[in-house]
Amino acid sequence: MTVMDQFSRLGVNNPQEILESVARATQNGFVAFDLENQITLFSSKMVEVTGWHDAEMIGKSTSELFQIQDMSSPELDASADSVSHHAVTLFTRDGKQINLEARKTAILDEESKVIGYLMFFIIEDYNKDLDRAQAEFISTVSHELRTPITSIKGFASTLLNGKQELPKEKRDKYVNIIKNQAERLSRLVEDLLAVSRLESRKLQLTIHPVRIYEMVDYISEVVGSKHSFSHKITINSTEDLPEVWVDKDRLEQVLTNLIDNAVKYSPESDKVDIQISEAELEGKPMVRIDVIDYGIGISTEDQQKVFTKFSRLDSPLTRITEGTGLGLYISKSLAQLLGGDLLLESQEGQTKFSLYLTTEQHKGGELWWD
Ligand code: ADP
């Protein structure tokens, strides 16, 4: 007995009505769309998860709501009981992207001709992941904030409450610690703001053509001086490099992070090499900046991890170096926003971060946000 036969026995004969009841009640969101990929039904769970109202979505193209990530999977055959599984990215109303699993099945007419599709999104895991990620994020941020705050409070109290006048040397030392910790707090807050802007897509980019050699040279000098020139930073570049189209401030942030890491995570070495050359990425003309250090390296299994939020690898060196674990996450996101990418190759004793920047003119700003 078909599902329709079962509903007929209940006196329900209109498939649209049935679908609408299910759409109102189910905990798993789903949408229906026609052969032109226009959305014809948008369940209430989808409203809750994506923030789009159904009235906004009906009639819109599915590409505005989701993208199937595994396009290579076999196309659905049109038999009534076939279901294909997909990894999809959902686009929410406030600009977030949610990755989840979905199932697609054909809607057939009375002659078994495909007239559209139903796409079910598996929401339960997404909710659990979201709650867990949020709780972890709050706990990590609180911990990161608490350390410098405790230290500022402690040294300020010592300065204020000392029974007798502290010698000038000690006083200066404590004031310096307070200043450094306040700077650490401010860097952390800046990084958190950058993450928040990136994730809510509120980051405004101002794109100009920039001569990359001069910029790398300048930032190497700044980072070198911050580390009291502990490493000799050498820049090799091919001649007549084209200009890159970037947001200068954002690029400065990325380059500073990469060169700073190269110095920080190679204390036993005394050099960092930077190579700048023309390259291609996915067929597009780019300039590639390789930042190479001869330090502790990053194991193969940790190489993806370092690009995620708050990831600091567990090593004695990481424990004694300062950092938020946000730098590479921000850098990779920015590189991609600027139309390029940030890739990593590493083994023990050598790490190479390759930053790709586009040489093609683009207008930036809202470009990646639509
Ligand atoms: P952090 O503020 O901790 O430096 P990043 O996001 O810049 O944060 O880097 C994340 C982690 O990746 C670091 O804590 C470190 O463990 C590892 N890492 C980054 N760059 C290097 C490098 N050049 N060599 C070895 N490990 C690195």
Side-chain angles (χ1 to χ4, degrees):
M1 196 192 291
T2 66
V3 177
M4 264 321 288
D5 291 340
Q6 294 175 39
F7 275 109
S8 299
R9 292 182 71 182
L10 290 169
V12 185
N13 289 310
N14 181 348
Q16 183 69 21
E17 245 170 54
I18 301 168
L19 212 50
E20 278 172 8
S21 315
V22 178
R24 271 195 302 277
T26 179
Q27 274 305 300
N28 273 326
F30 71 88
V31 296
F33 52 95
D34 62 19
L35 296 178
E36 267 88 55
N37 287 332
Q38 275 193 350
I39 297 171
T40 53
L41 189 82
F42 195 71
S43 80
S44 4
K45 190 70 188 176
M46 292 302 286
V47 177
E48 185 189 320
V49 172
T50 65
W52 296 106
H53 202 269
D54 49 353
E56 287 173 297
M57 269 297 148
I58 305 286
K60 285 266 169 66
S61 161
T62 52
S63 63
E64 298 194 28
L65 178 68
F66 65 85
Q67 190 179 11
I68 297 182
Q69 298 302 351
D70 51 354
M71 289 307 277
S72 57
S73 65
E75 246 320 288
L76 194 65
D77 79 57
S79 63
D81 49 6
S82 96
V83 175
S84 61
H85 295 242
H86 300 278
V88 295
T89 303
L90 260 186
F91 306 118
T92 67
R93 196 173 200 276
D94 61 3
K96 291 206 183 70
Q97 298 190 2
I98 305 171
N99 295 321
L100 29 80
E101 203 190 305
R103 294 190 189 136
K104 184 175 160 192
T105 187
I107 305 172
L108 309 175
D109 68 4
E110 278 141 22
E111 281 127 39
S112 296
K113 226 172 80 216
V114 179
I115 50 168
Y117 294 97
L118 271 181
M119 187 81 148
F120 279 85
F121 299 92
I122 317 299
I123 308 283
E124 295 130 41
D125 279 354
Y126 150 74
N127 275 344
K128 269 188 240 137
D129 283 356
L130 197 71
D131 289 348
R132 198 179 321 118
Q134 223 159 33
E136 264 171 32
F137 186 78
I138 291 172
S139 137
T140 318
V141 170
S142 315
H143 178 79
E144 292 291 333
L145 290 172
R146 195 191 290 143
T147 318
I149 289 174
T150 309
S151 155
I152 291 172
K153 269 167 63 181
F155 284 102
S157 303
T158 312
L159 283 172
L160 282 172
N161 303 333
K163 297 242 165 12
Q164 67 239 67
E165 184 85 346
L166 285 167
K168 182 176 177 328
E169 218 174 274
K170 270 213 162 135
R171 234 183 28 230
D172 286 355
K173 189 174 159 202
Y174 294 171
V175 172
N176 244 323
I177 294 175
I178 292 177
K179 179 170 166 277
N180 286 340
Q181 293 299 322
E183 275 165 7
R184 179 174 166 196
L185 264 183
S186 125
R187 268 198 305 277
L188 186 64
V189 171
E190 280 307 312
D191 277 358
L192 284 171
L193 274 176
V195 169
S196 148
R197 282 194 209 108
L198 274 168
E199 294 190 346
S200 61
R201 300 187 181 197
K202 289 206 178 104
L203 194 77
Q204 190 65 39
L205 297 171
T206 316
I207 306 290
H208 294 293
V210 164
R211 289 154 67 100
I212 191 69
Y213 181 90
E214 282 77 356
M215 188 146 173
V216 172
D217 190 38
Y218 163 72
I219 290 169
S220 302
E221 194 64 25
V222 174
V223 175
S225 89
K226 178 184 151 197
H227 293 280
S228 315
F229 300 105
S230 59
H231 290 60
K232 182 168 170 17
I233 304 174
T234 312
I235 309 168
N236 273 307
S237 164
T238 45
E239 278 179 22
D240 299 328
L241 278 174
E243 291 177 322
V244 290
W245 285 76
V246 291
D247 178 305
K248 213 162 158 269
D249 292 344
R250 307 295 165 200
L251 178 60
E252 261 192 48
Q253 197 178 346
V254 176
L255 286 170
T256 305
N257 177 233
L258 295 181
I259 304 173
D260 192 46
N261 279 352
V263 175
K264 265 188 341 190
Y265 299 111
S266 66
E268 308 278 291
S269 142
D270 57 2
K271 63 170 184 166
V272 168
D273 288 325
I274 301 179
Q275 283 160 8
I276 314 177
S277 54
E278 280 188 71
E280 264 194 14
L281 185 70
E282 287 162 9
K284 296 202 187 102
M286 302 266 160
V287 162
R288 188 177 76 214
I289 302 130
D290 294 327
V291 180
I292 306 159
D293 70 68
Y294 306 91
I296 55 170
I298 302 171
S299 68
T300 319
E301 61 267 28
D302 282 337
Q303 291 185 10
Q304 282 310 311
K305 237 191 262 168
V306 296
F307 292 112
T308 57
K309 262 178 286 183
F310 290 116
S311 63
R312 304 206 72 214
L313 303 179
D314 192 21
S315 83
L317 183 56
T318 311
R319 263 172 258 136
I320 55 165
T321 49
E322 223 196 74
T324 59
L326 290 171
L328 287 175
Y329 169 77
I330 296 173
S331 294
K332 188 164 175 102
S333 311
L334 285 176
Q336 289 176 341
L337 267 182
L338 293 171
D341 208 346
L342 177 61
L343 306 180
L344 161 63
E345 276 172 45
S346 183
Q347 62 208 32
E348 212 183 314
Q350 182 166 332
T351 299
K352 176 166 91 176
F353 280 94
S354 300
L355 174 66
Y356 287 83
L357 299 169
T358 180
T359 56
E360 282 180 335
Q361 179 168 0
H362 59 81
K363 61 182 165 56
E366 303 274 14
L367 187 64
W368 287 276
W369 302 133
D370 44 39

